[in-house]
Amino acid sequence: TRVFDDTLTKCHPYVAEKPRNHDSLFYVTAGALRYTCGETCAVIPQGGVGYIGKGAADTSAADGDAVSYIAINFCIDRSETSHTPALPFPVRCDDDSCDYGTLFADALRADQLREPGGALERDGLILQIIGRLYRAYRLPEPQRRLRRRVAPAVQLLRTDCASPALTVDTLAQSCAMSARQFRTVFRAAHGVPPYRYLQEFRLQKAALLLRST
């Protein structure tokens, strides 16, 4: 497993000299990345996540002057006995309801510090990223569209979960909805009302802090 950050320019792209011997996930931190592999071409904007499968002979370049990203190279067991012989993601992964930027940055930081337990923390974060992407990809398209509509509210919930000013009205405004419409759309997207989602997120965060102290 390798985690790293890099910057590409339009004049200096990344061109794979031979098919990749690993899978890759990347998160665009600035600019936009143009990915080409055979007849496939996709532009991943800032804040977007991309997946590159093993065996790809591809080219990545800036769709503009420059693009910066964090990437994770890893290998998936593709044997017949493996429960997940390959990831089903398309090149571009559009679920914005997860805070991928923080997860990628934390994985990079854990990898660079070289402290005891850092490799385990890094690999755990990588599995978390893959799990969230897999879960989002397996959702029916109508539900994925609903999740994109309430993604700004989910981001607020995750970044300001301890704030007493976090109300349904505030969350609804971030999605340009009325409070009543927001409650309906949020429940349809995530299966629980906003307050329940916030409670569960706070419990998960508290459990993570307890395990790390």
Side-chain angles (χ1 to χ4, degrees), residues 152-196:
V154 171
Q155 183 65 25
L156 270 178
L157 283 168
R158 291 177 174 275
T159 55
D160 299 331
C161 65
S163 172
L166 200 62
T167 64
V168 170
D169 287 337
T170 303
L171 296 172
Q173 288 172 8
S174 73
C175 301
M177 299 181 192
S178 67
R180 182 176 180 179
Q181 181 189 21
F182 173 74
R183 287 190 180 96
T184 301
V185 175
F186 193 96
R187 181 187 282 272
H190 290 281
V192 294
Y195 182 68
R196 176 75 178 276

Side-chain angles (χ1 to χ4, degrees), residues 45-58:
Q46 181 175 333
V49 179
Y51 167 67
I52 304 171
K54 183 177 180 180
D58 57 303

Side-chain angles (χ1 to χ4, degrees), residues 104-211:
F104 271 82
D106 287 347
L108 178 64
R109 188 159 43 248
D111 189 63
Q112 291 176 335
L113 288 176
R114 306 296 182 187
E115 293 181 346
L120 288 172
E121 182 181 0
R122 174 204 65 200
D123 291 348
L125 289 163
I126 292 170
L127 289 174
Q128 190 174 356
I129 293 168
I130 293 172
R132 289 189 183 188
L133 286 168
Y134 192 93
R135 182 177 58 194
Y137 182 75
R138 288 301 190 191
L139 288 174
E141 180 56 31
Q143 190 174 2
R144 291 167 67 183
R145 285 198 297 268
L146 290 175
R147 288 200 172 192
R148 286 194 286 271
R149 289 183 64 188
V150 297
V154 171
Q155 183 65 25
L156 270 178
L157 283 168
R158 291 177 174 275
T159 55
D160 299 331
C161 65
S163 172
L166 200 62
T167 64
V168 170
D169 287 337
T170 303
L171 296 172
Q173 288 172 8
S174 73
C175 301
M177 299 181 192
S178 67
R180 182 176 180 179
Q181 181 189 21
F182 173 74
R183 287 190 180 96
T184 301
V185 175
F186 193 96
R187 181 187 282 272
H190 290 281
V192 294
Y195 182 68
R196 176 75 178 276
Y197 186 99
L198 177 60
Q199 281 185 317
E200 292 178 356
F201 179 74
R202 284 173 172 168
L203 288 172
Q204 291 171 4
K205 191 170 184 179
L208 182 63
L209 287 172
L210 286 172
R211 287 198 298 269

Side-chain angles (χ1 to χ4, degrees), residues 14-24 35-37 52-60 73:
Y14 168 81
V15 180
E17 297 179 355
K18 55 184 178 180
R20 292 174 180 260
N21 61 359
H22 56 264
D23 296 84
S24 294
Y35 175 80
T36 307
C37 183
I52 304 171
K54 183 177 180 180
D58 57 303
T59 299
S60 299
N73 293 340

